[in-house]
Amino acid sequence: MKYQILTSTEMQQHQVGEAITLTTVLSIMAIALLSVVIYRLFLSSKGSTTLPGGWKFTWN
C-alpha cells in the first residue's frame, strides 16, 4: 500500500461512508435474524428454550 499526501482541496473532496454502510447492513441482518427467531419461538404451538443464565421456558 502506497501512502500519498493529499492537498487541501483533495481532502475536502474526499468522502467517507463505507463504515456507516457496513454497520447498517450488519445491523439490518442482525435484526432480521432476531425477528425470525422470535417469530419461530413465540408462534409455535409448543416448545421449550434455554437462555444463558439458567432461564428455561416451556409452553404447550
Side-chain angles (χ1 to χ4, degrees):
M1 185 169 172
K2 182 180 175 185
Y3 292 103
Q4 179 179 357
I5 298 175
L6 300 176
T7 63
S8 296
T9 56
E10 289 174 333
M11 286 192 285
Q12 289 175 352
Q13 293 175 350
H14 184 72
Q15 294 185 6
V16 180
E18 296 171 1
I20 295 172
T21 304
L22 181 62
T23 304
T24 304
V25 169
L26 290 176
S27 63
I28 289 173
M29 288 176 56
I31 291 170
L33 180 64
L34 188 59
S35 299
V36 169
V37 169
I38 290 172
Y39 175 80
R40 295 289 306 247
L41 185 66
F42 290 113
L43 292 183
S44 63
S45 60
K46 63 176 161 176
S48 65
T49 186
T50 303
L51 300 175
W55 294 86
K56 293 183 181 183
F57 298 99
T58 57
W59 60 95
N60 291 329

